[in-house]
Amino acid sequence: MQLIVILLITVSVLTLLSGVTVFLGSSKGDRLRSAWFFIATIFAAIWTVSISMFLIAEPSWKASIDLPVRWTYLSSIFIDIALLGYISWREKYGKIVTLAFLIGGIILSAVFINNPGLLYTDVILSNTGNSLVTNIGPFYFIYITFFCLLVPAVILTLLKQIIKPVSKKKRGGDLVLLIGFAISGTMSLIFCLILPLWRWDLVWLGPLAVSTTIIAFYYSILRYRVLNLSSIWLKILSYIVIMASSAVIYMVIFSIIFALLFRGSTPSTEVIILNFIMILIVLLLFPAMNELNMFVNSLISTQDVDMIYIIKKLNKFTPRTNSDLKELADFLADHMHFESVNFLIDKQIYGSIKNKITSDEVEIISRLGDPENGIWQNIDENDEKWLRHDFSAIAALRDSNGQTFGQMIIGKPIGKINFNQRDIIQIESAINMVATTISSRNHPKRTKRS
């Protein structure tokens, strides 16, 4: 039971975070519609926490357990109504249907608050399992009928939107919600309304299914770009939701394997918490591990240039000092697999050959002039000065206006001696991006070469 409660509480927090992110990350035009999704996550979290409290309640809680039990019945009414509002609020019929169910839900709630005995007459708390004495009367069947009408209304609305000629992204998000809602709605009806007439130990499956569906729908919002998260902290919240959801999935798998290995026994609370913390640590380290993996692959694969990694690094690189330019040159030499890479800007060398090249050679290189086509400048590979420094090519660096402000001097390649057309295109792309990166910093002199 400890594992179940930990899962329910974790999922309820993730559900609420999903609602907060959708509401705060939505545009002004979608703010009212996304508010319905936020409301759905609030009531889903309340429902899940209330059932968790009921499951772990001890006999000494008898005087205070009524409040969580009442919230269990009340919150479940408004989850599906809010989801219906989120799905259909843009349409006129959607507003009418949502408001009709909302009014019905408020009336149903008011009657129940006034007389909770219409649904249950007693709460039984014992060491063998908690349960309710259900009042199987007219109001109980009205309560079930309300959900039997509301769930099909949500499903039909989703089907109507999927059939409509809308964008593929929106249809994909609606399809995820349709499948998830059909499964969770059926499970909630069975495990939270019908099966409790005989047993209560499986009631937690209902809120777990609903919360999982909401989280899955949130993922589909990100996956199909239904919502554009512009704020950095909203992106962090999304990462937390996905990361913690992965941890929950891991804990479920761990518990199943544990039960199979140890013949139905369940892990202790300490083991559960330790495993949960460890998987969170692994997930937190995953970006760093992925970065390290890309770094190592880019270094050791001398037969290929990892353009993805190079571009990723160049996007984050802003050279502001001379040492930054030398660091950039060393980085390119390592990951583009050349013996050396140097920059010549305003007759200053930035790189490993700074103390090896003469001022006359610097002058000769700086006067090579603009290339007739592309970025490569013409050099005589048999010339002694190029052979002495093992230069294989010199490329012009141009700013956004097309003016040449410097040169990139490339040493001999490591590993692959002959470059094919694909390699050349990749290298040229990298050099053009390097030129853009360097030109973004303020140079005291930048003149167009004749």
Side-chain angles (χ1 to χ4, degrees):
M1 188 59 69
Q2 296 97 327
L3 175 62
I4 292 172
V5 172
I6 291 173
L7 285 177
L8 289 178
I9 297 298
T10 305
V11 168
S12 67
V13 172
L14 295 179
T15 302
L16 192 57
L17 280 176
S18 301
V20 170
T21 308
V22 168
F23 180 68
L24 296 179
S26 60
S27 61
K28 290 183 179 179
D30 281 335
R31 187 58 56 86
L32 184 59
R33 180 169 168 258
S34 63
W36 282 109
F37 185 80
F38 184 31
I39 293 170
T41 61
I42 291 174
F43 282 109
I46 293 173
W47 188 37
T48 306
V49 172
S50 299
I51 288 182
S52 300
M53 293 179 67
F54 168 73
L55 291 174
I56 63 173
E58 299 176 357
S60 58
W61 297 18
K62 182 73 174 180
S64 59
I65 197 61
D66 265 346
L67 185 61
V69 171
R70 292 182 188 184
W71 271 113
T72 299
Y73 284 105
L74 289 172
S75 56
S76 60
I77 294 174
F78 295 99
I79 297 171
D80 293 346
I81 294 175
L83 284 177
L84 178 63
Y86 174 76
I87 295 164
S88 63
W89 195 251
R90 286 178 174 174
E91 306 290 341
K92 184 177 180 180
Y93 77 88
K95 291 185 176 69
I96 296 172
V97 174
T98 302
L99 291 175
F101 275 108
L102 180 60
I103 293 169
I106 292 172
I107 295 172
L108 206 63
S109 301
V111 174
F112 171 70
I113 292 171
N114 185 59
N115 186 8
L118 292 172
L119 287 180
Y120 71 97
T121 56
D122 193 17
V123 181
I124 300 173
L125 304 178
S126 67
N127 295 327
T128 57
N130 301 331
S131 62
L132 298 178
V133 178
T134 307
N135 183 3
I136 307 176
F139 188 77
Y140 188 79
F141 288 105
I142 292 173
Y143 187 82
I144 293 179
T145 302
F146 180 82
F147 285 100
C148 289
L149 294 174
L150 178 55
V151 171
V154 175
I155 292 175
L156 289 173
T157 303
L158 283 169
L159 282 173
K160 188 176 186 302
Q161 294 198 3
I162 291 173
I163 295 172
K164 278 197 321 182
V166 294
S167 67
K168 184 179 179 181
K169 292 180 179 179
K170 189 176 185 305
R171 186 180 289 110
D174 289 340
L175 187 61
V176 170
L177 184 57
L178 174 63
I179 296 172
F181 188 82
I183 295 172
S184 62
T186 303
M187 290 181 65
S188 299
L189 186 64
I190 294 172
F191 293 108
C192 297
L193 291 175
I194 298 175
L195 196 61
L197 296 175
W198 297 277
R199 54 186 294 185
W200 283 86
D201 58 316
L202 297 177
V203 70
W204 56 274
L205 287 171
L208 184 63
V210 170
S211 296
T212 303
T213 296
I214 291 175
I215 295 171
F217 183 57
Y218 172 72
Y219 172 76
S220 74
I221 289 175
L222 301 179
R223 169 66 178 81
Y224 296 103
R225 304 292 192 273
V226 178
L227 176 67
N228 182 24
L229 300 180
S230 55
S231 301
I232 183 64
W233 66 274
L234 289 177
K235 295 178 182 179
I236 293 172
L237 275 179
S238 299
Y239 181 75
I240 291 172
V241 171
I242 294 172
M243 180 182 67
S245 299
S246 302
V248 169
I249 294 171
Y250 164 81
M251 289 304 299
V252 172
I253 296 172
F254 165 77
S255 303
I256 293 172
I257 295 174
F258 190 94
L260 291 174
L261 289 176
F262 297 98
R263 299 181 181 180
S265 61
T266 57
S268 64
T269 304
E270 291 80 5
V271 172
I272 293 170
I273 294 174
L274 177 61
N275 269 275
F276 194 76
I277 292 172
M278 291 306 297
I279 190 60
L280 283 178
I281 291 173
V282 170
L283 290 170
L284 284 170
L285 291 175
F286 184 77
M289 293 164 61
N290 187 50
E291 179 73 15
L292 180 62
N293 182 56
M294 290 180 66
F295 172 79
V296 172
N297 284 338
S298 180
L299 275 180
I300 65 177
S301 181
T302 58
Q303 299 303 309
D304 297 291
V305 177
D306 191 345
M307 284 298 298
I308 296 176
Y309 182 74
I310 292 173
I311 290 173
K312 179 182 176 183
K313 284 298 182 183
L314 287 176
N315 281 329
K316 296 179 180 179
F317 199 89
T318 306
R320 300 186 183 278
T321 64
N322 292 345
S323 60
D324 290 337
L325 286 175
K326 184 182 184 307
E327 180 185 339
L328 177 58
D330 292 340
F331 167 79
L332 292 172
D334 290 337
H335 293 274
M336 292 176 68
H337 313 303
F338 292 106
E339 290 183 357
S340 66
V341 167
N342 295 268
F343 299 120
L344 174 57
I345 301 173
D346 298 328
K347 297 186 179 180
Q348 294 292 321
I349 293 288
Y350 304 95
S352 59
I353 64 167
K354 181 178 181 180
N355 298 322
K356 300 176 183 178
I357 190 170
T358 66
S359 57
D360 291 338
E361 290 171 334
V362 169
E363 187 68 28
I364 292 171
I365 295 173
S366 63
R367 291 184 178 278
L368 284 176
D370 286 335
E372 296 180 2
N373 295 302
I375 62 173
W376 303 107
Q377 295 181 321
N378 293 322
I379 64 173
D380 183 1
E381 295 183 1
N382 296 316
D383 193 308
E384 183 180 344
K385 57 179 172 293
W386 310 132
L387 293 173
R388 185 164 64 87
H389 295 295
D390 286 332
F391 296 159
S392 62
I394 299 177
L397 299 176
R398 295 191 177 100
D399 60 20
S400 57
N401 297 320
Q403 294 184 345
T404 300
F405 65 87
Q407 290 144 298
M408 180 168 162
I409 306 168
I410 300 173
K412 296 296 181 182
I414 300 172
K416 182 182 286 188
I417 303 301
N418 297 317
F419 286 88
N420 57 34
Q421 186 63 29
R422 179 175 175 271
D423 296 323
I424 294 173
I425 292 174
Q426 286 184 329
I427 292 171
E428 288 181 351
S429 299
I431 292 172
N432 287 327
M433 191 167 184
V434 168
T436 303
T437 302
I438 297 175
S439 66
S440 62
R441 81 178 212 151
N442 295 322
H443 289 284
K445 298 178 182 178
R446 187 167 300 171
T447 58
K448 187 171 182 178
R449 303 182 192 279
S450 57

